[in-house]
Amino acid sequence: MTRLRCRGYSSMVSNGMNPGFSMRSSLLAAISVLAFVCPGRAQTFQGKELVQASLVADVNAVVPGKPLTVGLLLKMAPHWHTYWRFSGDAGLPTEIKWNLPPGWKAGEIQWPLPFRMIDPGDIETYGYDNEVMLLQEITPPASVPDSSIKLAAEASWLVCEKLCIPGSANLQIGLPVSDKNAAANEDLFTRYRRSLPQKWPEGKVASATWSRGGQELQLTVESAALANYPAADFFPLPDANVVVGHPKTERSAPGKLIFRVPIEGDPKLSALNGVVVFGQSANSAERNGWTLPTEVQMLSGGSGSLWKFLLFGFLGGFILNLMPCVLPVISLKIFGFIQHAGQDRRRILRSGLAFIAGIFAWFIGLALLLIGLKSAGREITWAFQFTNPYFVLFMSAVVLVFALNLFGVFEITLPQSASRGVLGWTAREGDAGSFFQGVFATVLATPCTAPFLGTALGFAFTQSGWTILLMFVAIAAGMSSPYLLLSAQPAWMRLLPKPGAWMVHVKQLMGFLLLATLLFLLWVLGAQRGVEGVIWASCFLLALSVVCWMKGVFLVPTASHVARVVSILLALLLLLGSGYYFIGEKFRATRLASGEMQMQGDWQPFTPERLEEELGQGHSVFVDFTAAWCLTCKFNEASVLESSAVRDAFQRHGVVKIKADWTNADPAITKILKQFGRPGVPMYVLYPGKNAEPILFPELLTQSLILEKLETLLPHVAAQ
């Protein structure tokens, strides 16, 4: 008997994918030779019987013209296994070659659901242990002259444990020929027919769509029936020229499953054949499976799905205007509209378009950056820039400069040469200011997410670069739509108060709103770099304030040339010197130890191990995925999660509360966010129990929503 090590067959490529069909074809040819040399009904190795092979029929006689089913029954020795039609990273599928009389036909092999097996070295295969029966329909001709018939087949397989040994057998089964028959081997056939994957259910029961992002195919399955099964998997059936990696399963909502399949090969491939497998536990005998039909796969990447998510992006961008992150800056634009009230309609429209251009400029720039990061293999998320303390520090400086400008400490002016041209100085200054207000408002909006936005971005981040760009354009269009309407319909501005001296006081009041934003950003820096980091950042901001004061006092048209040159040199020296010392030396040296992150109340810090431990003990767990810079998170926590009604409900139901702090982009938390299809925080998940489907909440919480879901825990608590 020839022996071959499993690794000899697998010959893994660097990323753990199956090396392809060509090697299997050559090995099958070799096995066929071995089968011819060593015919028999059983396979033995060192005196041990590894595989017993036989043919069985589901009837006791052949009726001419009437199909019957014949099964190849393989009984394996303990710990040995054979393989499914797609064996995975290693192994070979079993083959059956029929030697039928003229006029007889054999159908396709019907494969029971296999087990997914993981061997050392992250080698993933699909196969069967103990026993399996492969079914095949045999159709006799309308006329069979003989009184009995012998059906012969040559079966070949590969059986593996720590080593792999090819086996084969020439088998036959004799049946009488009659004008009627009866069922035979009913229990055996009933058991294996139940383990066959079923046809895909009708559309109202389950829907499936494919999409592709780079070297990954994503299958999204939505079915309320699947919400009742904690274990779900996708077993791929790739074509010969396609190399697939290990599918990963994510649940983004109850009844919604996302299977991510790494692929290599055909760059135009948009779908795979395969089986969606589900049950109460992985590899259980009670599992069921749905085979993906071709017509469902053709829906992959459909324009209808894309337009739906683009609409979500547009709505999410519109709602961003109402989120707390952006309100201090939006008030500046409203103030600008008041200034322009009663002025030329064209000028109002141009100022509004400049503000909108700023919104689009930021979102398109952010989209290009994310596309570049994704192409480089980096994880991309919404508001990722706020996880970088230097970006938060930069935004703190920008907010401070805007606030000082509103207080009248200095004025933003353009060089004299800029005033020449067809357009006048005032118009240019107003347009530039509107543009930067648009950029500024959008930058401050990104720490917030809004309803629809998480779903839209979660979809876009798995798609091609063009889809990501389109999604950010849709978000920009949604956010800018109210300003476009207000600019195009200046008659609506009659509802706003008339310009006057009071505007100076309002302008200064807006400066205080920006200072409030600055306090928030400094608090974020404190969460990222501790108290010491805030102190050194504040020192730099103080120096920046002095530079702004020097700009307002000495860099004015009435100052002498010498005074202006000296002021510029001193301002640059102060700015660069303070930046080097306070930021480059002191701030950079600060680090926030993990022990400094204190949980308030009865919240516990998140770790994957803690979550697993609590669920393993049968506890219900609520996880708050949050970040210090996320104002939507803070709003939800203050108004809902820390309300007395919700706190009492958590305690009454014995729910363990865990806070997952994503302020510094913890990779473990990023992984869970992606599993639920969310691009960032906030995200709220209630795990009812060990095997129950997790409940995903929307970005904006209400007390009634939390209390309603907590009431559903009663059956779980009672069951425990």
Side-chain angles (χ1 to χ4, degrees):
M1 182 67 69
T2 301
R3 287 180 291 168
L4 295 172
R5 291 279 180 183
C6 280
R7 300 298 180 270
Y9 283 93
S10 58
S11 183
M12 298 286 292
V13 292
S14 59
N15 62 352
M17 293 184 175
N18 191 285
F21 185 74
S22 57
M23 179 176 289
R24 286 202 294 269
S25 299
S26 60
L27 290 171
L28 278 175
I31 290 172
S32 299
V33 173
L34 292 171
F36 178 79
V37 173
C38 306
R41 293 174 180 271
Q43 178 186 15
T44 59
F45 170 65
Q46 293 182 344
K48 183 178 182 180
E49 197 172 71
L50 298 183
V51 178
Q52 282 185 337
S54 61
L55 295 176
V56 291
D58 66 342
V59 292
N60 61 358
V62 172
V63 177
K66 183 178 180 180
L68 67 151
T69 300
V70 177
L72 169 64
L73 183 62
L74 300 176
K75 295 183 178 180
M76 285 74 77
H79 310 300
W80 291 77
H81 57 265
T82 56
Y83 293 94
W84 190 44
R85 57 189 301 188
F86 173 64
S87 58
D89 294 335
L92 291 169
T94 298
E95 281 198 342
I96 306 173
K97 295 180 180 178
W98 286 97
N99 184 19
L100 298 173
W104 290 65
K105 296 180 181 178
E108 297 291 329
I109 297 177
Q110 302 172 50
W111 301 80
L113 291 175
F115 300 122
R116 185 162 76 162
M117 299 171 284
I118 300 177
D119 294 323
D122 195 30
I123 295 177
E124 198 169 277
T125 57
Y126 302 91
Y128 310 96
D129 57 8
N130 295 324
E131 178 188 286
V132 66
M133 187 165 73
L134 308 181
L135 308 180
Q136 212 161 359
E137 185 177 88
I138 304 295
T139 303
S143 174
V144 180
D146 302 321
S147 60
S148 64
I149 193 75
K150 288 186 178 179
L151 305 177
E154 175 188 337
S156 58
W157 59 83
L158 184 69
V159 62
C160 296
E161 196 226 6
K162 294 180 180 177
L163 53 84
C164 294
I165 304 174
S168 64
N170 289 320
L171 306 169
Q172 64 179 16
I173 181 173
L175 292 170
V177 178
S178 175
D179 56 356
K180 60 181 180 181
N181 59 17
N185 304 305
E186 289 184 82
D187 293 341
L188 187 63
F189 276 89
T190 298
R191 177 156 53 92
Y192 279 101
R193 281 179 172 135
R194 284 178 180 169
S195 66
L196 295 174
Q198 303 167 16
K199 292 182 179 179
W200 193 264
E202 54 186 1
K204 63 182 181 182
V205 177
S207 64
T209 55
W210 282 101
S211 57
R212 176 166 182 167
Q215 297 299 308
E216 180 183 275
L217 280 175
Q218 178 179 308
L219 171 64
T220 302
V221 177
E222 295 186 66
S223 172
L226 295 184
N228 302 318
Y229 296 97
D233 211 337
F234 176 69
F235 292 175
L237 291 169
D239 292 335
N241 61 339
V242 178
V243 179
V244 300
H246 302 165
K248 302 297 182 185
T249 304
E250 300 175 5
R251 290 182 183 268
S252 60
K256 183 177 180 179
L257 297 167
I258 298 175
F259 303 100
R260 300 182 185 277
V261 188
I263 55 170
E264 286 184 5
D266 186 356
K268 297 181 180 179
L269 184 70
S270 58
L272 282 175
N273 292 312
V275 181
V276 174
V277 181
F278 50 93
Q280 293 302 321
S281 61
N283 287 343
S284 67
E286 296 78 18
R287 295 168 304 152
N288 293 307
W290 291 339
T291 302
L292 282 172
T294 303
E295 57 268 26
V296 172
Q297 297 168 32
M298 293 303 292
L299 295 174
S300 61
S303 59
S305 298
L306 177 60
W307 283 112
K308 181 183 73 173
F309 285 108
L310 289 177
L311 176 61
F312 286 172
F314 180 88
L315 294 174
F318 178 84
I319 298 174
L320 267 182
N321 291 295
L322 307 176
M323 304 309 289
C325 304
V326 75
L327 283 180
V329 185
I330 293 301
S331 60
L332 293 178
K333 187 56 196 170
I334 296 175
F335 182 71
F337 280 129
I338 295 174
Q339 285 181 305
H340 295 317
Q343 295 184 0
D344 178 64
R345 178 171 181 171
R346 181 179 298 179
R347 182 180 173 187
I348 294 172
L349 177 60
R350 190 169 58 195
S351 175
L353 291 178
F355 184 83
I356 292 170
I359 294 176
F360 273 87
W362 171 258
F363 273 120
I364 292 175
L366 185 60
L368 295 177
L369 176 61
L370 290 173
I371 292 169
L373 291 174
K374 185 178 181 182
S375 301
R378 300 284 299 275
E379 296 279 352
I380 58 173
T381 54
W382 177 252
F384 73 97
Q385 66 272 23
F386 276 86
T387 63
N388 186 325
Y390 289 97
F391 180 82
V392 178
L393 178 60
F394 171 75
M395 287 307 304
S396 302
V398 172
V399 168
L400 175 63
V401 170
F402 268 75
L404 293 176
N405 173 254
L406 291 177
F407 288 137
V409 174
F410 74 102
E411 295 293 333
I412 300 175
T413 57
L414 297 177
Q416 188 67 26
S417 57
S419 63
R420 302 190 185 99
V422 180
L423 300 176
W425 160 266
T426 304
R428 278 179 176 265
E429 187 180 28
D431 293 347
S434 295
F435 177 83
F436 285 111
Q437 283 179 357
V439 173
F440 194 39
T442 315
V443 172
L444 287 182
T446 46
C448 284
T449 58
F452 301 107
L453 199 60
T455 303
L457 288 171
F459 165 80
F461 286 168
T462 62
Q463 307 300 307
S464 65
W466 282 111
T467 304
I468 294 175
L469 183 60
L470 277 176
M471 183 58 68
F472 275 81
V473 169
I475 296 170
M479 185 173 178
S480 59
S481 58
Y483 310 106
L484 178 63
L485 292 176
L486 199 57
S487 302
Q489 297 291 334
W492 295 352
M493 295 186 187
R494 295 172 183 169
L495 302 176
L496 300 177
K498 300 296 182 184
W502 61 271
M503 293 172 57
V504 176
H505 304 297
V506 173
K507 182 180 177 182
Q508 294 171 345
L509 178 62
M510 297 297 175
F512 286 106
L513 288 179
L514 287 183
L515 286 185
T517 304
L518 176 61
L519 290 178
F520 164 70
L521 293 173
L522 290 176
W523 180 69
V524 173
L525 276 179
Q528 294 173 322
R529 290 300 182 93
V531 176
E532 192 176 358
V534 173
I535 290 174
W536 296 124
S538 299
C539 290
F540 170 73
L541 295 178
L542 177 61
L544 179 62
S545 302
V546 174
V547 171
C548 291
W549 172 77
M550 294 173 65
K551 165 72 172 61
V553 173
F554 301 108
L555 295 178
V556 293
T558 55
S560 66
H561 177 71
V562 174
R564 297 179 65 180
V565 170
V566 172
S567 299
I568 291 175
L569 292 177
L570 289 176
L572 286 176
L573 180 64
L574 180 59
L575 186 65
L576 297 177
S578 62
Y580 173 78
Y581 181 72
F582 293 126
I583 304 304
E585 295 287 336
K586 296 297 184 180
F587 183 81
R588 191 179 66 172
T590 58
R591 293 288 185 276
L592 179 61
S594 57
E596 294 183 43
M597 295 185 179
Q598 301 294 330
M599 293 292 118
Q600 296 181 349
D602 51 354
W603 291 91
Q604 300 181 34
F606 169 86
T607 64
E609 295 77 16
R610 180 185 295 273
L611 178 59
E612 289 294 329
E613 180 183 352
E614 297 292 347
L615 294 177
Q617 295 176 5
H619 297 156
S620 299
V621 180
F622 181 87
V623 184
D624 173 13
F625 295 84
T626 183
W629 38 261
C630 173
L631 281 178
T632 307
C633 305
K634 303 307 171 189
F635 175 80
N636 285 333
E637 291 166 7
S639 62
V640 178
L641 298 181
E642 293 302 327
S643 67
S644 58
V646 173
R647 284 205 316 266
D648 292 344
F650 276 135
Q651 187 174 15
R652 187 168 62 254
H653 292 286
V655 176
V656 177
K657 298 192 297 184
I658 294 179
K659 195 177 290 289
D661 191 332
W662 199 51
T663 301
N664 290 311
D666 185 337
I669 297 175
T670 304
K671 182 178 179 181
I672 295 182
L673 290 173
K674 292 181 72 67
Q675 288 176 351
F676 282 91
R678 287 290 179 85
V681 293
M683 185 176 82
Y684 307 96
V685 182
L686 175 62
Y687 296 87
K690 185 175 181 180
N691 296 318
E693 184 78 9
I695 299 171
L696 181 65
F697 290 88
E699 290 89 345
L700 283 178
L701 297 178
T702 62
Q703 291 188 23
S704 60
L705 181 61
I706 295 289
L707 295 175
E708 176 186 344
K709 295 300 180 184
L710 288 177
E711 289 302 319
T712 65
L713 296 180
L714 286 175
H716 299 286
V717 174
Q720 294 164 11

